[in-house]
């Protein structure tokens, strides 16, 4: 039997995502009510520019006083899509204190202060859901914290930023340089006017922190995630990748150590074999590959950004939170019981592709090989080409720690026969 009294929803932010959330709530009101067991009512919309025309939204609902809206006391659920740390953090905390559960798409805030927000939600017996914070419409957080709750996840490897994937895909398929591909992404609306958060890996790092925390039942903050952007990736790197049967992706990688006593979380560009499912993720799409002990290998794929895809994830959380509200229950909160230490990047073990500019003369290869051996880094393959006294030497290693590789490269730079280190790229997905 359906409850007649509506559940009241406060919407914080009415931009690309917020306006789509409001539209779906209105146009699909009957379906949402049937799925929830009660009607949902948009009770207020907090914005910065109240005079802007917002199609389908009653102007009487619009306010610039977000604080007063979340403190009304009759609000059942607050949907936060304004982003950033403040005032979002203060508003979410106030929502819990005044009786509302929260649905958020705020990856930066959850990555930085998720533990404190979960504690506030628990203290007041409310829900905090944030499926939309990672990979847009792709169901990922709920499968990790609910569907795989009885399994042991060992690795999460994924493309979680559509802008960078579009740029790298364009470089791979058209031979464009980084700036040319970025300009195309900007013209098509895939890249912001200031793309720093995307291309320098900040966006992906926040998502990696969230994924690692859920997958490994451990608190992983944004500061724990190693981050490396992809602005230095060149057409020459793609040419080298193709010679190895690989392509290049900006990856978020969360791993449990082989002995199980620690975890790592990192974001950086990497070569990945064309045979790996992630290699075929094109344009602005996202995909995440999950490896667990019982379920094995799972892949989640779909649009990772945009108003409609992100709103889909927000509405899915809204339905779940409203159902909990009616039933007098709350959904899964933070699970950090494992409390595993987060290892530094220096401990991470992977393969490397190193391109060196060297003198084209006898003995160079032997010198380089000696340096690798002295630092305990085993060489898998070597390729040398050159003329007129200059040469390129490409070395692909077996698995080695980041610290060992760093020491190797530092020693290589001191050789008189090494003119420079053209590029260093990790090789993943094998």
């Amino acid at each position: 039997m359906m409850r007649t009294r509506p559940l009241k929803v406060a919407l914080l932010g009415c931009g690309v995502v917020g306006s789509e959330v409001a539209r779906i709530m209105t146009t699909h009101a009957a379906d949402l009510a049937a799925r929830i067991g009660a009607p949902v009512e948009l009770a207020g919309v907090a914005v910065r520019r109240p005079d802007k025309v917002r199609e389908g939204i009653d102007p009487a609902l619009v306010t610039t006083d977000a604080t007063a809206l979340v403190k009304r006391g009759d609000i059942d659920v607050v949907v936060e899509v304004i982003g950033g740390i403040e005032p979002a953090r203060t508003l979410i905390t106030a929502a819990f204190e005044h009786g509302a559960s929260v649905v958020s798409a705020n990856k930066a805030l959850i990555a930085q202060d998720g533990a404190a927000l979960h504690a506030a939600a628990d203290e007041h017996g409310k829900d905090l859901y944030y499926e939309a914070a990672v990979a847009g419409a792709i169901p990922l957080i709920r499968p990790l914290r609910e569907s795989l709750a009885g399994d042991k996840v060992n690795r999460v490897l994924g493309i979680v930023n559509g802008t960078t994937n579009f740029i790298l895909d364009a470089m791979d398929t058209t031979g464009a340089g980084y700036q040319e591909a970025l300009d195309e992404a900007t013209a098509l609306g895939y890249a912001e006017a200031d793309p720093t958060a995307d291309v320098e890996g900040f966006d992906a790092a926040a998502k990696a922190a969230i994924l690692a925390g859920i997958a490994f039942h451990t608190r992983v903050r944004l500061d724990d995630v190693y981050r490396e952007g992809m602005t230095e990736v060149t057409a020459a790197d793609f040419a080298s990748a193709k010679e190895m049967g690989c392509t290049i992706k900006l990856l978020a990688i969360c791993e449990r150590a082989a002995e199980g006593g620690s975890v790592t979380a990192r974001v950086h560009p990497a070569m990945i074999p064309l045979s790996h499912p992630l290699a075929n993720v094109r344009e602005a799409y996202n995909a995440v590959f999950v490896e667990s002990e019982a379920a094995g290998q799972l892949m989640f794929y779909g649009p990772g950004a945009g108003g409609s895809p992100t709103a889909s994830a927000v509405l899915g959380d809204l339905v779940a939170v409203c159902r909990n509200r009616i039933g007098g229950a709350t959904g899964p909160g933070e699970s950090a019981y494992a409390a595993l230490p987060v290892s530094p990047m220096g401990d991470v073990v992977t393969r490397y592709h190193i391109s060196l500019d060297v003198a084209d003369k006898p003995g160079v290869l032997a010198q380089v090989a000696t340096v690798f051996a002295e630092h305990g880094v085993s060489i898998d393959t070597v390729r040398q080409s050159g003329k007129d006294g200059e040469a390129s030497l490409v070395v692909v290693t077996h698995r080695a720690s980041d610290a060992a590789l760093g020491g190797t490269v530092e020693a290589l730079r001191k050789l008189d026969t090494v003119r420079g280190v053209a590029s260093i790229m990790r090789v993943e997905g094998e």
Side-chain angles (χ1 to χ4, degrees), residues 102 117-119 121-122 126-131 141-149 214 217 317 320-321 324 329-336:
V102 173
L117 294 176
H118 272 296
D122 289 344
K126 299 296 178 280
D127 277 323
L128 172 62
Y129 277 46
Y130 42 88
E131 183 69 63
I141 289 178
R142 194 167 298 149
L144 279 174
R145 72 177 184 178
E146 296 183 32
S147 302
L148 295 174
I214 296 170
H217 304 278
D317 278 351
V321 170
N324 292 343
T330 55
E334 183 189 32
S335 175

PDB file of all heavy atoms in Angstrom, residues 102 117-119 121-122 126-131 141-149 214 217 317 320-321 324 329-336:
ATOM      1  N   VAL A 102      21.264  12.032   2.925  1.00  0.00           N
ATOM      2  CA  VAL A 102      21.946  12.780   1.874  1.00  0.00           C
ATOM      3  C   VAL A 102      22.334  11.874   0.718  1.00  0.00           C
ATOM      4  O   VAL A 102      22.844  10.762   0.921  1.00  0.00           O
ATOM      5  CB  VAL A 102      23.212  13.483   2.418  1.00  0.00           C
ATOM      6  CG1 VAL A 102      24.014  14.133   1.290  1.00  0.00           C
ATOM      7  CG2 VAL A 102      22.824  14.541   3.458  1.00  0.00           C
ATOM      8  N   LEU A 117      32.054  12.375   7.345  1.00  0.00           N
ATOM      9  CA  LEU A 117      30.658  12.464   6.911  1.00  0.00           C
ATOM     10  C   LEU A 117      29.889  11.192   7.246  1.00  0.00           C
ATOM     11  O   LEU A 117      28.730  11.246   7.670  1.00  0.00           O
ATOM     12  CB  LEU A 117      30.594  12.757   5.413  1.00  0.00           C
ATOM     13  CG  LEU A 117      31.125  14.127   4.984  1.00  0.00           C
ATOM     14  CD1 LEU A 117      31.088  14.259   3.469  1.00  0.00           C
ATOM     15  CD2 LEU A 117      30.318  15.249   5.634  1.00  0.00           C
ATOM     16  N   HIS A 118      30.528  10.038   7.060  1.00  0.00           N
ATOM     17  CA  HIS A 118      29.877   8.782   7.443  1.00  0.00           C
ATOM     18  C   HIS A 118      29.611   8.756   8.951  1.00  0.00           C
ATOM     19  O   HIS A 118      28.560   8.286   9.402  1.00  0.00           O
ATOM     20  CB  HIS A 118      30.749   7.595   7.050  1.00  0.00           C
ATOM     21  CG  HIS A 118      30.506   7.098   5.663  1.00  0.00           C
ATOM     22  ND1 HIS A 118      29.310   6.553   5.267  1.00  0.00           N
ATOM     23  CD2 HIS A 118      31.310   7.079   4.569  1.00  0.00           C
ATOM     24  CE1 HIS A 118      29.381   6.200   3.991  1.00  0.00           C
ATOM     25  NE2 HIS A 118      30.578   6.512   3.540  1.00  0.00           N
ATOM     26  N   ALA A 119      30.569   9.258   9.731  1.00  0.00           N
ATOM     27  CA  ALA A 119      30.394   9.289  11.187  1.00  0.00           C
ATOM     28  C   ALA A 119      29.211  10.176  11.567  1.00  0.00           C
ATOM     29  O   ALA A 119      28.417   9.835  12.455  1.00  0.00           O
ATOM     30  CB  ALA A 119      31.670   9.790  11.858  1.00  0.00           C
ATOM     31  N   ALA A 121      26.617  10.845   9.640  1.00  0.00           N
ATOM     32  CA  ALA A 121      25.400  10.146   9.220  1.00  0.00           C
ATOM     33  C   ALA A 121      25.019   9.076  10.240  1.00  0.00           C
ATOM     34  O   ALA A 121      23.843   8.943  10.614  1.00  0.00           O
ATOM     35  CB  ALA A 121      25.604   9.525   7.837  1.00  0.00           C
ATOM     36  N   ASP A 122      25.993   8.314  10.701  1.00  0.00           N
ATOM     37  CA  ASP A 122      25.737   7.263  11.688  1.00  0.00           C
ATOM     38  C   ASP A 122      25.232   7.845  13.002  1.00  0.00           C
ATOM     39  O   ASP A 122      24.319   7.302  13.641  1.00  0.00           O
ATOM     40  CB  ASP A 122      27.009   6.456  11.940  1.00  0.00           C
ATOM     41  CG  ASP A 122      27.390   5.575  10.761  1.00  0.00           C
ATOM     42  OD1 ASP A 122      26.527   5.359   9.890  1.00  0.00           O
ATOM     43  OD2 ASP A 122      28.551   5.124  10.704  1.00  0.00           O
ATOM     44  N   LYS A 126      21.196   8.407   9.773  1.00  0.00           N
ATOM     45  CA  LYS A 126      20.784   8.789   8.418  1.00  0.00           C
ATOM     46  C   LYS A 126      21.684   8.126   7.380  1.00  0.00           C
ATOM     47  O   LYS A 126      22.755   7.603   7.680  1.00  0.00           O
ATOM     48  CB  LYS A 126      20.828  10.316   8.259  1.00  0.00           C
ATOM     49  CG  LYS A 126      19.900  11.050   9.212  1.00  0.00           C
ATOM     50  CD  LYS A 126      18.442  10.701   8.928  1.00  0.00           C
ATOM     51  CE  LYS A 126      17.481  11.367   9.886  1.00  0.00           C
ATOM     52  NZ  LYS A 126      17.388  10.680  11.178  1.00  0.00           N
ATOM     53  N   ASP A 127      21.241   8.172   6.132  1.00  0.00           N
ATOM     54  CA  ASP A 127      21.987   7.594   5.017  1.00  0.00           C
ATOM     55  C   ASP A 127      22.899   8.615   4.346  1.00  0.00           C
ATOM     56  O   ASP A 127      22.555   9.811   4.262  1.00  0.00           O
ATOM     57  CB  ASP A 127      21.027   7.063   3.944  1.00  0.00           C
ATOM     58  CG  ASP A 127      20.511   5.666   4.248  1.00  0.00           C
ATOM     59  OD1 ASP A 127      21.296   4.856   4.772  1.00  0.00           O
ATOM     60  OD2 ASP A 127      19.338   5.393   3.939  1.00  0.00           O
ATOM     61  N   LEU A 128      24.031   8.126   3.834  1.00  0.00           N
ATOM     62  CA  LEU A 128      24.902   8.905   2.956  1.00  0.00           C
ATOM     63  C   LEU A 128      25.207   8.018   1.753  1.00  0.00           C
ATOM     64  O   LEU A 128      25.921   7.026   1.866  1.00  0.00           O
ATOM     65  CB  LEU A 128      26.200   9.303   3.665  1.00  0.00           C
ATOM     66  CG  LEU A 128      27.266   9.966   2.772  1.00  0.00           C
ATOM     67  CD1 LEU A 128      26.740  11.279   2.186  1.00  0.00           C
ATOM     68  CD2 LEU A 128      28.566  10.205   3.553  1.00  0.00           C
ATOM     69  N   TYR A 129      24.632   8.363   0.610  1.00  0.00           N
ATOM     70  CA  TYR A 129      24.837   7.604  -0.624  1.00  0.00           C
ATOM     71  C   TYR A 129      25.540   8.486  -1.655  1.00  0.00           C
ATOM     72  O   TYR A 129      25.257   9.688  -1.738  1.00  0.00           O
ATOM     73  CB  TYR A 129      23.494   7.136  -1.193  1.00  0.00           C
ATOM     74  CG  TYR A 129      22.951   5.855  -0.589  1.00  0.00           C
ATOM     75  CD1 TYR A 129      22.928   5.647   0.784  1.00  0.00           C
ATOM     76  CD2 TYR A 129      22.432   4.847  -1.399  1.00  0.00           C
ATOM     77  CE1 TYR A 129      22.420   4.470   1.324  1.00  0.00           C
ATOM     78  CE2 TYR A 129      21.917   3.678  -0.871  1.00  0.00           C
ATOM     79  CZ  TYR A 129      21.914   3.485   0.498  1.00  0.00           C
ATOM     80  OH  TYR A 129      21.406   2.337   1.026  1.00  0.00           O
ATOM     81  N   TYR A 130      26.422   7.895  -2.477  1.00  0.00           N
ATOM     82  CA  TYR A 130      27.172   8.715  -3.440  1.00  0.00           C
ATOM     83  C   TYR A 130      27.616   7.907  -4.671  1.00  0.00           C
ATOM     84  O   TYR A 130      28.747   8.019  -5.134  1.00  0.00           O
ATOM     85  CB  TYR A 130      28.389   9.349  -2.759  1.00  0.00           C
ATOM     86  CG  TYR A 130      29.148   8.439  -1.824  1.00  0.00           C
ATOM     87  CD1 TYR A 130      30.174   7.612  -2.291  1.00  0.00           C
ATOM     88  CD2 TYR A 130      28.836   8.409  -0.471  1.00  0.00           C
ATOM     89  CE1 TYR A 130      30.864   6.775  -1.423  1.00  0.00           C
ATOM     90  CE2 TYR A 130      29.522   7.577   0.394  1.00  0.00           C
ATOM     91  CZ  TYR A 130      30.536   6.780  -0.080  1.00  0.00           C
ATOM     92  OH  TYR A 130      31.221   5.942   0.783  1.00  0.00           O
ATOM     93  N   GLU A 131      26.691   7.122  -5.203  1.00  0.00           N
ATOM     94  CA  GLU A 131      26.990   6.362  -6.431  1.00  0.00           C
ATOM     95  C   GLU A 131      27.472   7.276  -7.552  1.00  0.00           C
ATOM     96  O   GLU A 131      28.358   6.914  -8.338  1.00  0.00           O
ATOM     97  CB  GLU A 131      25.746   5.592  -6.873  1.00  0.00           C
ATOM     98  CG  GLU A 131      25.959   4.710  -8.096  1.00  0.00           C
ATOM     99  CD  GLU A 131      26.870   3.526  -7.808  1.00  0.00           C
ATOM    100  OE1 GLU A 131      26.505   2.670  -6.980  1.00  0.00           O
ATOM    101  OE2 GLU A 131      27.964   3.469  -8.409  1.00  0.00           O
ATOM    102  N   ILE A 141      29.727   1.619  -7.100  1.00  0.00           N
ATOM    103  CA  ILE A 141      29.871   1.684  -5.649  1.00  0.00           C
ATOM    104  C   ILE A 141      28.948   0.671  -4.966  1.00  0.00           C
ATOM    105  O   ILE A 141      29.369  -0.054  -4.062  1.00  0.00           O
ATOM    106  CB  ILE A 141      29.594   3.117  -5.148  1.00  0.00           C
ATOM    107  CG1 ILE A 141      30.743   4.031  -5.578  1.00  0.00           C
ATOM    108  CG2 ILE A 141      29.428   3.131  -3.629  1.00  0.00           C
ATOM    109  CD1 ILE A 141      30.565   5.471  -5.199  1.00  0.00           C
ATOM    110  N   ARG A 142      27.696   0.607  -5.416  1.00  0.00           N
ATOM    111  CA  ARG A 142      26.781  -0.331  -4.774  1.00  0.00           C
ATOM    112  C   ARG A 142      27.203  -1.789  -5.001  1.00  0.00           C
ATOM    113  O   ARG A 142      27.169  -2.585  -4.059  1.00  0.00           O
ATOM    114  CB  ARG A 142      25.347  -0.088  -5.253  1.00  0.00           C
ATOM    115  CG  ARG A 142      24.308  -0.790  -4.373  1.00  0.00           C
ATOM    116  CD  ARG A 142      22.907  -0.290  -4.663  1.00  0.00           C
ATOM    117  NE  ARG A 142      22.811   1.127  -4.374  1.00  0.00           N
ATOM    118  CZ  ARG A 142      22.016   1.970  -5.017  1.00  0.00           C
ATOM    119  NH1 ARG A 142      21.241   1.538  -5.975  1.00  0.00           N
ATOM    120  NH2 ARG A 142      21.980   3.243  -4.682  1.00  0.00           N
ATOM    121  N   PRO A 143      27.616  -2.194  -6.210  1.00  0.00           N
ATOM    122  CA  PRO A 143      28.129  -3.561  -6.356  1.00  0.00           C
ATOM    123  C   PRO A 143      29.318  -3.855  -5.453  1.00  0.00           C
ATOM    124  O   PRO A 143      29.430  -4.947  -4.894  1.00  0.00           O
ATOM    125  CB  PRO A 143      28.518  -3.631  -7.831  1.00  0.00           C
ATOM    126  CG  PRO A 143      27.597  -2.679  -8.503  1.00  0.00           C
ATOM    127  CD  PRO A 143      27.442  -1.540  -7.515  1.00  0.00           C
ATOM    128  N   LEU A 144      30.218  -2.869  -5.297  1.00  0.00           N
ATOM    129  CA  LEU A 144      31.395  -3.098  -4.458  1.00  0.00           C
ATOM    130  C   LEU A 144      31.021  -3.244  -2.984  1.00  0.00           C
ATOM    131  O   LEU A 144      31.544  -4.122  -2.289  1.00  0.00           O
ATOM    132  CB  LEU A 144      32.399  -1.948  -4.620  1.00  0.00           C
ATOM    133  CG  LEU A 144      33.314  -1.990  -5.842  1.00  0.00           C
ATOM    134  CD1 LEU A 144      34.143  -0.709  -5.931  1.00  0.00           C
ATOM    135  CD2 LEU A 144      34.244  -3.197  -5.799  1.00  0.00           C
ATOM    136  N   ARG A 145      30.118  -2.401  -2.491  1.00  0.00           N
ATOM    137  CA  ARG A 145      29.856  -2.436  -1.057  1.00  0.00           C
ATOM    138  C   ARG A 145      28.669  -3.310  -0.669  1.00  0.00           C
ATOM    139  O   ARG A 145      28.467  -3.577   0.514  1.00  0.00           O
ATOM    140  CB  ARG A 145      29.688  -1.026  -0.495  1.00  0.00           C
ATOM    141  CG  ARG A 145      28.430  -0.285  -0.840  1.00  0.00           C
ATOM    142  CD  ARG A 145      28.428   1.066  -0.116  1.00  0.00           C
ATOM    143  NE  ARG A 145      27.198   1.802  -0.340  1.00  0.00           N
ATOM    144  CZ  ARG A 145      26.945   2.992   0.209  1.00  0.00           C
ATOM    145  NH1 ARG A 145      27.829   3.550   1.009  1.00  0.00           N
ATOM    146  NH2 ARG A 145      25.825   3.615  -0.032  1.00  0.00           N
ATOM    147  N   GLU A 146      27.909  -3.789  -1.682  1.00  0.00           N
ATOM    148  CA  GLU A 146      26.788  -4.673  -1.374  1.00  0.00           C
ATOM    149  C   GLU A 146      26.911  -6.018  -2.082  1.00  0.00           C
ATOM    150  O   GLU A 146      27.002  -7.060  -1.444  1.00  0.00           O
ATOM    151  CB  GLU A 146      25.473  -3.978  -1.741  1.00  0.00           C
ATOM    152  CG  GLU A 146      25.201  -2.721  -0.913  1.00  0.00           C
ATOM    153  CD  GLU A 146      23.868  -2.075  -1.234  1.00  0.00           C
ATOM    154  OE1 GLU A 146      22.935  -2.807  -1.589  1.00  0.00           O
ATOM    155  OE2 GLU A 146      23.766  -0.831  -1.145  1.00  0.00           O
ATOM    156  N   SER A 147      26.937  -6.017  -3.414  1.00  0.00           N
ATOM    157  CA  SER A 147      26.971  -7.280  -4.154  1.00  0.00           C
ATOM    158  C   SER A 147      28.224  -8.095  -3.860  1.00  0.00           C
ATOM    159  O   SER A 147      28.189  -9.328  -3.837  1.00  0.00           O
ATOM    160  CB  SER A 147      26.873  -7.000  -5.657  1.00  0.00           C
ATOM    161  OG  SER A 147      25.702  -6.286  -5.972  1.00  0.00           O
ATOM    162  N   LEU A 148      29.363  -7.422  -3.660  1.00  0.00           N
ATOM    163  CA  LEU A 148      30.624  -8.113  -3.392  1.00  0.00           C
ATOM    164  C   LEU A 148      30.998  -8.072  -1.912  1.00  0.00           C
ATOM    165  O   LEU A 148      32.152  -8.319  -1.552  1.00  0.00           O
ATOM    166  CB  LEU A 148      31.757  -7.503  -4.238  1.00  0.00           C
ATOM    167  CG  LEU A 148      31.599  -7.679  -5.754  1.00  0.00           C
ATOM    168  CD1 LEU A 148      32.685  -6.905  -6.497  1.00  0.00           C
ATOM    169  CD2 LEU A 148      31.643  -9.150  -6.142  1.00  0.00           C
ATOM    170  N   ALA A 149      30.038  -7.770  -1.050  1.00  0.00           N
ATOM    171  CA  ALA A 149      30.325  -7.656   0.383  1.00  0.00           C
ATOM    172  C   ALA A 149      30.802  -8.972   0.993  1.00  0.00           C
ATOM    173  O   ALA A 149      31.516  -8.975   2.000  1.00  0.00           O
ATOM    174  CB  ALA A 149      29.084  -7.170   1.131  1.00  0.00           C
ATOM    175  N   ILE A 214      36.250   1.507  -0.345  1.00  0.00           N
ATOM    176  CA  ILE A 214      35.138   0.570  -0.343  1.00  0.00           C
ATOM    177  C   ILE A 214      35.619  -0.850  -0.622  1.00  0.00           C
ATOM    178  O   ILE A 214      35.207  -1.806   0.046  1.00  0.00           O
ATOM    179  CB  ILE A 214      34.082   0.994  -1.381  1.00  0.00           C
ATOM    180  CG1 ILE A 214      33.487   2.349  -0.995  1.00  0.00           C
ATOM    181  CG2 ILE A 214      32.984  -0.052  -1.500  1.00  0.00           C
ATOM    182  CD1 ILE A 214      32.609   2.966  -2.066  1.00  0.00           C
ATOM    183  N   HIS A 217      37.833  -2.094   2.460  1.00  0.00           N
ATOM    184  CA  HIS A 217      37.336  -1.870   3.821  1.00  0.00           C
ATOM    185  C   HIS A 217      38.387  -1.147   4.662  1.00  0.00           C
ATOM    186  O   HIS A 217      38.680  -1.515   5.796  1.00  0.00           O
ATOM    187  CB  HIS A 217      36.937  -3.197   4.471  1.00  0.00           C
ATOM    188  CG  HIS A 217      35.934  -3.964   3.666  1.00  0.00           C
ATOM    189  ND1 HIS A 217      34.587  -3.695   3.711  1.00  0.00           N
ATOM    190  CD2 HIS A 217      36.087  -4.965   2.763  1.00  0.00           C
ATOM    191  CE1 HIS A 217      33.941  -4.512   2.887  1.00  0.00           C
ATOM    192  NE2 HIS A 217      34.831  -5.292   2.295  1.00  0.00           N
ATOM    193  N   ASP A 317      20.189   6.389  -6.214  1.00  0.00           N
ATOM    194  CA  ASP A 317      20.435   6.550  -4.781  1.00  0.00           C
ATOM    195  C   ASP A 317      19.215   7.139  -4.076  1.00  0.00           C
ATOM    196  O   ASP A 317      18.886   6.756  -2.945  1.00  0.00           O
ATOM    197  CB  ASP A 317      21.643   7.464  -4.559  1.00  0.00           C
ATOM    198  CG  ASP A 317      22.970   6.735  -4.689  1.00  0.00           C
ATOM    199  OD1 ASP A 317      22.963   5.491  -4.786  1.00  0.00           O
ATOM    200  OD2 ASP A 317      24.018   7.408  -4.693  1.00  0.00           O
ATOM    201  N   ALA A 320      16.737   4.454  -3.339  1.00  0.00           N
ATOM    202  CA  ALA A 320      17.188   3.588  -2.246  1.00  0.00           C
ATOM    203  C   ALA A 320      17.047   4.276  -0.891  1.00  0.00           C
ATOM    204  O   ALA A 320      16.577   3.677   0.085  1.00  0.00           O
ATOM    205  CB  ALA A 320      18.641   3.168  -2.477  1.00  0.00           C
ATOM    206  N   VAL A 321      17.440   5.543  -0.821  1.00  0.00           N
ATOM    207  CA  VAL A 321      17.377   6.274   0.442  1.00  0.00           C
ATOM    208  C   VAL A 321      15.925   6.490   0.871  1.00  0.00           C
ATOM    209  O   VAL A 321      15.581   6.370   2.059  1.00  0.00           O
ATOM    210  CB  VAL A 321      18.127   7.616   0.311  1.00  0.00           C
ATOM    211  CG1 VAL A 321      17.857   8.507   1.528  1.00  0.00           C
ATOM    212  CG2 VAL A 321      19.624   7.372   0.168  1.00  0.00           C
ATOM    213  N   ASN A 324      14.570   3.328   2.319  1.00  0.00           N
ATOM    214  CA  ASN A 324      15.076   3.164   3.687  1.00  0.00           C
ATOM    215  C   ASN A 324      14.303   4.055   4.656  1.00  0.00           C
ATOM    216  O   ASN A 324      13.982   3.656   5.783  1.00  0.00           O
ATOM    217  CB  ASN A 324      16.564   3.508   3.748  1.00  0.00           C
ATOM    218  CG  ASN A 324      17.436   2.512   3.012  1.00  0.00           C
ATOM    219  OD1 ASN A 324      17.007   1.392   2.716  1.00  0.00           O
ATOM    220  ND2 ASN A 324      18.653   2.904   2.707  1.00  0.00           N
ATOM    221  N   ALA A 329      14.856   2.344   8.224  1.00  0.00           N
ATOM    222  CA  ALA A 329      16.172   1.713   8.269  1.00  0.00           C
ATOM    223  C   ALA A 329      17.188   2.607   7.564  1.00  0.00           C
ATOM    224  O   ALA A 329      16.848   3.649   6.995  1.00  0.00           O
ATOM    225  CB  ALA A 329      16.125   0.343   7.596  1.00  0.00           C
ATOM    226  N   THR A 330      18.434   2.188   7.625  1.00  0.00           N
ATOM    227  CA  THR A 330      19.490   2.848   6.857  1.00  0.00           C
ATOM    228  C   THR A 330      20.259   1.788   6.084  1.00  0.00           C
ATOM    229  O   THR A 330      20.309   0.627   6.476  1.00  0.00           O
ATOM    230  CB  THR A 330      20.467   3.629   7.760  1.00  0.00           C
ATOM    231  OG1 THR A 330      21.001   2.742   8.748  1.00  0.00           O
ATOM    232  CG2 THR A 330      19.774   4.791   8.443  1.00  0.00           C
ATOM    233  N   GLY A 331      20.862   2.230   4.992  1.00  0.00           N
ATOM    234  CA  GLY A 331      21.647   1.323   4.167  1.00  0.00           C
ATOM    235  C   GLY A 331      23.058   1.173   4.698  1.00  0.00           C
ATOM    236  O   GLY A 331      23.389   1.643   5.791  1.00  0.00           O
ATOM    237  N   PRO A 332      23.928   0.500   3.930  1.00  0.00           N
ATOM    238  CA  PRO A 332      25.313   0.298   4.368  1.00  0.00           C
ATOM    239  C   PRO A 332      26.033   1.620   4.597  1.00  0.00           C
ATOM    240  O   PRO A 332      25.917   2.548   3.790  1.00  0.00           O
ATOM    241  CB  PRO A 332      25.941  -0.471   3.194  1.00  0.00           C
ATOM    242  CG  PRO A 332      24.795  -1.055   2.456  1.00  0.00           C
ATOM    243  CD  PRO A 332      23.659  -0.100   2.617  1.00  0.00           C
ATOM    244  N   GLY A 333      26.759   1.702   5.687  1.00  0.00           N
ATOM    245  CA  GLY A 333      27.571   2.877   5.961  1.00  0.00           C
ATOM    246  C   GLY A 333      29.017   2.595   5.609  1.00  0.00           C
ATOM    247  O   GLY A 333      29.316   1.740   4.776  1.00  0.00           O
ATOM    248  N   GLU A 334      29.904   3.291   6.268  1.00  0.00           N
ATOM    249  CA  GLU A 334      31.330   3.074   6.005  1.00  0.00           C
ATOM    250  C   GLU A 334      31.756   1.723   6.566  1.00  0.00           C
ATOM    251  O   GLU A 334      31.375   1.341   7.672  1.00  0.00           O
ATOM    252  CB  GLU A 334      32.168   4.173   6.657  1.00  0.00           C
ATOM    253  CG  GLU A 334      33.657   4.024   6.359  1.00  0.00           C
ATOM    254  CD  GLU A 334      34.530   4.972   7.162  1.00  0.00           C
ATOM    255  OE1 GLU A 334      34.163   5.299   8.315  1.00  0.00           O
ATOM    256  OE2 GLU A 334      35.581   5.385   6.640  1.00  0.00           O
ATOM    257  N   SER A 335      32.563   1.003   5.798  1.00  0.00           N
ATOM    258  CA  SER A 335      33.158  -0.248   6.266  1.00  0.00           C
ATOM    259  C   SER A 335      34.669  -0.083   6.203  1.00  0.00           C
ATOM    260  O   SER A 335      35.265  -0.149   5.130  1.00  0.00           O
ATOM    261  CB  SER A 335      32.722  -1.429   5.393  1.00  0.00           C
ATOM    262  OG  SER A 335      33.383  -2.620   5.783  1.00  0.00           O
ATOM    263  N   ALA A 336      35.269   0.181   7.344  1.00  0.00           N
ATOM    264  CA  ALA A 336      36.711   0.409   7.396  1.00  0.00           C
ATOM    265  C   ALA A 336      37.375  -0.488   8.428  1.00  0.00           C
ATOM    266  O   ALA A 336      38.443  -0.179   8.952  1.00  0.00           O
ATOM    267  CB  ALA A 336      36.990   1.877   7.722  1.00  0.00           C
TER     268      ALA A 336
END
